[in-house]
């Protein structure tokens, strides 16, 4: 007896294509509230980054709005927040200072073009070369930078700021034990704002950071001459912005992948960042990239997992500024500082500095982590720390494997020949001392070098083998290379005899 094939109705198939937030009210509520919390946290950050870049606060807020909305559609990592960032602000600030706002906007658009090209060329694949120790250093330095950014909000301020921060931290720690229906950061911000307004407590507020925009941005072309001179002026800044933005965005995407145990398309994210920056530039924004602190609020603190939270973070940002500007301006900075301090604590990898971990971790791994943290904290640039940390890891790895190519000799019983066996990986580091491992003067006239247990990786190894053969030839002795595997034989056959200097 055969059973009829199972069929799925069109309605059921349609339900399967719907995102979770359309079918699950709990997910919808989480995403909406997470987007609101992130929007509130974005306002003072965007204003601060505008000041760093030397532009009007509205420019940073516009950039955060367009970046978040666009990347929610075209990005490759769900629930990640992109907006105006300090890293981008630092790169483009000199351009704005020396050449004006029009050149800054043009650079943002060109940076977006660069990011699309780099994404299409597969720059995201370079992420596989970032070792775990660099990633840990990146996360820890991120937490330190977020905390350092809050220090100015806790120095030279009225004394009520400190109990407000303490109360905010207490709410963030204990409120989730009561219920998780409403995000603790939102509750903390609402309660502290109500207290300060009702009691008339004079403390720094969001409004003290700068005026909020009263209308939506309008699209337009940058006010610059479209000449080769303009292009040569903005190109270096645009390329630097593109690289810094991609580095920070891809590292953040990888971090969110680990937190949520899901995969994302780094190539799509790279191209999406470019599209978002181009759109932001045409709307007169200062550009941006992934915001790690706000992403941690969205993903780790609020539990968001879909694109809806990212979209709503941008949408709520403009609604809060335009419709509820006077109310938002009354939010005490202490409430937002408490949220960011909690983000620091949750982001830092405390296990990585535990004495038990440090005792078991190889010294090289600890060195790479420390170098990454020191470079990031010293430069306030996450991309610089990641690059230097990765280079340090590569140098340590090269030193570690430089002596893995072992050479052993076995002379024939009648003394008519000698057989050398090379074992290990042969590349530029391990092959440097290969030439000195043979006894050219004392060896018999027939020499066999067995490479069946080795692999030839690069031209340096081929050149080293050529040098060994040449030294024996100078003494009238013959060398027979045997046992090369196919890739090694192909590389050796293509390069041997072609690498000698002139």
């Amino acid at each position: 007896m055969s059973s009829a094939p199972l069929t799925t109705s069109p309605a059921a198939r349609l339900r399967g294509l719907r995102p979770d937030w359309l079918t699950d009210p709990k997910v919808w509520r989480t995403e909406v509230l997470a987007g609101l919390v992130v929007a509130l946290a974005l306002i003072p950050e965007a204003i601060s980054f505008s000041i760093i870049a030397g532009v009007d606060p509205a420019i940073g807020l516009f950039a955060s709005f367009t970046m978040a909305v666009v990347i929610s559609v075209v990005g490759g990592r769900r629930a990640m927040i992109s907006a105006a960032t300090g890293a981008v602000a630092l790169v483009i600030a000199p351009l704005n200072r020396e050449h004006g706002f029009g050149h800054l906007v043009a650079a943002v658009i060109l940076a977006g073009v660069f990011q699309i090209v780099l994404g299409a060329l597969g720059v995201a694949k370079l992420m596989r070369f970032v070792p775990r120790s660099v990633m840990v250093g990146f996360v820890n330095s991120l937490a330190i930078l977020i905390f350092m950014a809050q220090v100015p909000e806790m120095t030279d301020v009225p004394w009520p700021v400190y109990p407000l921060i303490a109360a905010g931290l207490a709410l963030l720690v204990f409120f989730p034990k009561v219920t998780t229906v409403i995000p603790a950061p939102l509750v903390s911000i609402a309660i502290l704002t109500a207290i300060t307004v009702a009691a008339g407590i004079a403390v720094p507020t969001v409004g003290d950071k700068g005026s909020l925009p009263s209308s939506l941005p309008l699209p337009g072309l940058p006010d610059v001459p479209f000449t080769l001179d303009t292009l040569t002026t903005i190109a270096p800044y645009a390329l630097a912005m593109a690289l810094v933005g991609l580095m920070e965005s891809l590292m953040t995407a990888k971090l969110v992948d680990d937190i949520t145990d899901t995969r994302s398309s780094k190539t799509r994210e790279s191209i999406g960042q470019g599209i978002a920056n181009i759109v932001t530039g045409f709307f007169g924004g200062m550009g941006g990239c992934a915001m790690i602190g706000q992403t941690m609020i969205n993903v780790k603190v609020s539990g968001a997992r879909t694109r809806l939270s990212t979209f709503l973070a941008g949408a709520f940002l403009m609604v809060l500024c335009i419709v509820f500007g006077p109310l938002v301006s009354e939010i005490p900075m202490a409430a937002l500082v408490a949220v960011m301090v909690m983000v620091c604590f949750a982001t830092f990898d405390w296990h990585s500095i535990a004495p038990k971990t440090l005792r078991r971790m190889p010294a090289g791994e600890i060195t790479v982590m420390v170098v990454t943290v020191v470079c990031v904290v010293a430069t306030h640039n996450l991309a610089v720390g990641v690059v230097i940390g990765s280079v340090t890891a590569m140098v340590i790895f090269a030193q570690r494997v430089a002596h893995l190519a072992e050479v052993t000799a076995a002379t024939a019983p009648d003394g008519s020949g000698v057989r050398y066996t090379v074992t290990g990986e042969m590349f530029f580091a391990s092959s440097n001392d290969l030439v000195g491992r043979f006894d050219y003067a004392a060896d018999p006239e027939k020499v066999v070098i067995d490479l069946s247990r080795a692999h030839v990786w690069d031209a340096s190894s081929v050149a080293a083998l050529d040098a060994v053969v040449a030294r024996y030839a100078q003494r009238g002795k013959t060398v027979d290379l045997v046992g090369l595997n196919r890739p090694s034989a192909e590389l050796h056959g293509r390069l041997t005899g072609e690498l000698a200097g002139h």
Side-chain angles (χ1 to χ4, degrees):
M1 180 178 179
S2 62
S3 58
L6 295 175
T7 59
T8 305
S9 67
R13 287 197 298 269
L14 183 60
R15 285 195 298 270
L17 294 174
R18 291 175 180 173
D20 292 340
W21 55 267
L22 276 179
T23 57
D24 190 337
K26 184 178 179 181
V27 173
W28 184 86
R29 182 179 64 247
T30 299
E31 299 298 310
V32 171
L33 294 176
L36 180 57
V37 172
V38 171
L40 290 168
L42 275 174
I43 293 173
E45 294 278 311
I47 295 174
S48 299
F49 297 147
S50 299
I51 295 171
I52 292 174
V55 299
D56 188 88
I59 303 302
L61 291 166
F62 289 156
S64 297
F65 162 63
T66 53
M67 287 293 298
V69 169
V70 175
I71 206 67
S72 69
V73 178
V74 300
R77 172 66 259 177
R78 291 180 295 174
M80 192 166 78
I81 305 297
S82 289
T85 60
V88 169
L90 288 170
V91 170
I92 60 177
L95 178 63
N96 180 61
R97 185 170 57 249
E98 296 171 13
H99 299 279
F101 181 67
H103 282 75
L104 181 151
V105 172
V108 170
I109 296 172
L110 183 59
V113 174
F114 283 150
Q115 288 177 328
I116 292 175
V117 173
L118 291 170
L121 292 176
V123 70
K125 294 178 181 178
L126 296 177
M127 289 300 298
R128 71 183 66 178
F129 296 106
V130 178
R132 181 186 179 278
S133 52
V134 172
M135 191 66 192
V136 173
F138 168 82
V139 170
N140 290 346
S141 57
L142 158 67
I144 294 171
L145 284 185
I146 294 175
F147 182 81
M148 290 174 63
Q150 311 314 308
V151 172
E153 306 297 337
M154 296 185 283
T155 55
D156 298 325
V157 293
W159 70 265
V161 167
Y162 303 109
L164 285 172
I165 293 176
L169 290 172
L171 285 168
L172 291 168
V173 171
F174 294 110
F175 187 79
K177 300 181 185 298
V178 178
T179 179
T180 57
V181 173
I182 304 175
L186 184 59
V187 173
S188 177
I189 293 170
I191 291 177
L192 295 187
T193 302
I195 291 173
T196 55
V197 172
I201 301 174
V203 292
T205 63
V206 170
D208 296 331
K209 289 291 183 179
S211 59
L212 303 180
S214 58
S215 62
L216 290 172
L218 297 175
L221 295 174
D223 185 17
V224 293
F226 293 90
T227 63
L228 182 60
D229 182 60
T230 300
L231 180 62
T232 55
T233 299
I234 66 174
Y237 295 95
L239 182 59
M241 176 185 164
L243 294 174
V244 169
L246 282 182
M247 178 71 73
E248 196 156 335
S249 298
L250 293 176
M251 289 295 289
T252 305
K254 190 174 187 299
L255 180 60
V256 178
D257 288 353
D258 294 339
I259 293 173
T260 61
D261 195 25
T262 56
R263 297 183 64 183
S264 60
S265 172
K266 306 301 187 298
T267 297
R268 178 177 173 180
E269 182 62 34
S270 301
I271 296 174
Q273 288 290 328
I275 296 172
N277 272 306
I278 290 174
V279 172
T280 297
F282 282 121
F283 276 91
M286 58 181 277
C289 61
M291 289 196 78
I292 308 171
Q294 273 64 25
T295 298
M296 290 300 100
I297 293 176
N298 196 46
V299 174
K300 203 163 188 177
V301 179
S302 300
R305 292 294 183 271
T306 76
R307 298 178 184 274
L308 180 63
S309 58
T310 306
F311 175 84
L312 289 179
F316 282 149
L317 175 64
M318 281 293 98
V319 172
L320 289 170
C321 291
I322 296 172
V323 180
F324 301 102
L327 178 61
V328 171
S329 296
E330 296 297 325
I331 296 175
M333 286 301 299
L336 299 176
V337 169
V339 172
M340 298 309 292
V341 169
M342 183 58 65
V343 169
C344 299
F345 185 84
T347 301
F348 197 92
D349 187 348
W350 297 100
H351 176 73
S352 67
I353 60 171
K356 183 178 180 181
T357 303
L358 294 176
R359 283 195 300 268
R360 295 181 176 181
M361 191 73 67
E365 301 284 324
I366 297 174
T367 300
V368 170
M369 181 180 70
V370 171
V371 166
T372 303
V373 172
V374 169
C375 290
V376 170
V377 174
T379 63
H380 284 237
N381 191 321
L382 291 161
V384 170
V386 169
V387 170
I388 295 178
S390 298
V391 171
T392 303
M394 292 176 186
V395 170
I396 292 175
F397 175 76
Q399 290 178 338
R400 187 181 303 163
V401 301
H403 306 292
L404 289 184
E406 297 294 334
V407 180
T408 56
T411 305
D414 59 0
S416 60
V418 61
R419 186 183 188 89
Y420 286 94
T421 301
V422 181
T423 304
E425 307 299 320
M426 295 179 61
F427 66 111
F428 63 91
S430 61
S431 61
N432 279 339
D433 60 351
L434 183 69
V435 179
R437 307 291 289 276
F438 299 87
D439 193 351
Y440 304 99
D443 281 344
E445 294 185 358
K446 185 178 180 181
V447 179
V448 175
I449 300 179
D450 184 0
L451 296 161
S452 58
R453 299 180 182 177
H455 188 97
V456 178
W457 286 103
D458 59 8
S460 297
S461 302
V462 176
L465 291 173
D466 284 354
V468 171
V469 173
R471 289 199 180 189
Y472 277 114
Q474 289 172 359
R475 293 167 174 79
K477 301 174 183 179
T478 60
V479 178
D480 189 13
L481 301 178
V482 300
L484 283 168
N485 58 37
R486 189 175 68 179
S488 299
E490 290 176 354
L491 180 64
H492 183 268
R494 188 166 65 251
L495 297 180
T496 185
E498 304 292 334
L499 302 172
H502 298 285

